[in-house]
């Protein structure tokens, strides 16, 4: 079994999306600490060698779309949303305005696209040297798993949580394909 998945990573400006995307993809440039906003969208392609999907291990090809948090790029969202399989919501839990921004992003990238909770995850991203109390997310996020990401303290755990998320998305995609095949056969 070999699977390809398109994941978008969204959140407000300066919440750590690019840092997380670089870390998860094992990109060379993890960052200098200097903030450089993403212009529109950046696509990173990489493989995860061992993802568990319905009790089987597979290799997943991941297209990770790192979407700018700057709302001036909102006109690009329809093109970015096309064919997405999962959404990673990122925010800094120490900033209330970040939690508020996620509500709008959830509406655009999950609700309007018909993306289910099993295809979403929230990374409560703690930038190095910061601590947050946990800004309250809207009720739309209640059924979505929330993961505290402390890359410098538990990078392996963050990668494991990401791999489990990819497995969940691939399981959902497999179930949808099975239902479509069964419908055609009837």
């Amino acid at each position: 079994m070999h699977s390809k998945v398109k994941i978008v990573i969204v959140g407000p400006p300066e919440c750590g999306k690019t840092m997380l995307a670089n870390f998860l993809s094992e990109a060379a440039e993890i960052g200098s600490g200097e903030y450089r906003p993403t212009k529109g969208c950046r696509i990173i392609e990489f493989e995860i060698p061992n993802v568990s999907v319905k009790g089987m291990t597979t290799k997943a090809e991941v297209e990770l779309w790192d979407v700018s948090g700057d709302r001036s790029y909102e006109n690009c969202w329809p093109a970015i949303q096309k064919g997405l399989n999962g959404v990673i919501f990122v925010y800094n839990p120490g900033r209330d305005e970040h939690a508020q921004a996620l509500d709008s992003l959830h509406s655009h990238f999950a609700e309007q696209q018909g993306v289910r909770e099993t295809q979403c995850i929230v990374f409560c991203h703690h930038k190095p040297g910061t601590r947050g109390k946990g800004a309250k997310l809207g009720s739309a996020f209640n059924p979505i798993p929330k993961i505290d990401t402390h890359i410098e303290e538990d990078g392996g755990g963050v990668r494991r949580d990401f791999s489990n998320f990819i497995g969940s998305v691939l399981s959902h995609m497999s179930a949808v394909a099975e239902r479509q095949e069964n419908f055609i056969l009837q």
Side-chain angles (χ1 to χ4, degrees):
M1 183 182 222
H2 185 79
S3 305
K4 187 169 186 167
V5 64
K6 176 182 176 180
I7 304 294
V8 296
I9 183 167
V10 297
E14 295 187 66
C15 67
K17 296 178 300 294
T18 297
M19 176 190 255
L20 268 168
N22 287 344
F23 176 77
L24 294 170
S25 66
E26 299 182 18
E29 83 276 356
I30 292 301
S32 62
E34 176 188 332
Y35 176 67
R36 290 193 343 234
T38 301
K39 305 284 188 227
C41 180
R42 184 176 76 104
I43 303 167
I44 308 166
E45 295 181 287
F46 58 100
E47 289 184 352
I48 303 175
N50 299 307
V51 176
S52 178
V53 181
K54 295 184 172 186
M56 295 174 58
T57 300
T58 185
K59 177 170 31 174
E61 287 183 49
V62 178
E63 262 185 29
L64 187 60
W65 293 53
D66 176 11
V67 181
S68 173
D70 184 339
R71 295 297 292 253
S72 69
Y73 294 106
E74 194 171 334
N75 60 342
C76 300
W77 290 358
I80 292 167
Q81 293 163 335
K82 187 174 176 65
L84 72 85
N85 303 116
V87 182
I88 300 172
F89 295 97
V90 180
Y91 81 112
N92 178 336
R95 295 180 59 184
D96 287 333
E97 73 275 13
H98 279 197
Q100 294 164 1
L102 282 194
D103 285 334
S104 173
L105 291 167
H106 183 274
S107 173
H108 285 280
F109 284 90
E111 288 173 27
Q112 293 176 19
Q113 300 306 308
V115 175
R116 299 182 185 275
E117 292 85 8
T118 57
Q119 298 169 266
C120 297
I121 194 166
V122 176
F123 280 164
C124 310
H125 184 60
H126 301 269
K127 288 185 175 182
T130 65
R131 286 279 181 242
K133 289 190 168 40
K136 182 101 171 91
L137 294 176
S139 61
F141 289 96
N142 288 347
I144 299 174
K146 289 151 209 68
I147 307 294
D148 282 313
T149 61
H150 298 277
I151 291 173
E152 69 283 354
E153 294 171 22
D154 185 22
V158 174
R159 281 202 175 95
R160 183 184 59 250
D161 291 333
F162 177 69
S163 181
N164 291 341
F165 168 65
I166 295 299
S168 175
V169 170
L170 289 171
S171 292
H172 173 80
M173 291 168 60
S174 174
V176 167
E178 258 178 51
R179 282 194 301 274
Q180 289 173 339
E181 287 171 13
N182 288 338
F183 179 77
I184 291 170
L185 293 173
Q186 291 177 357

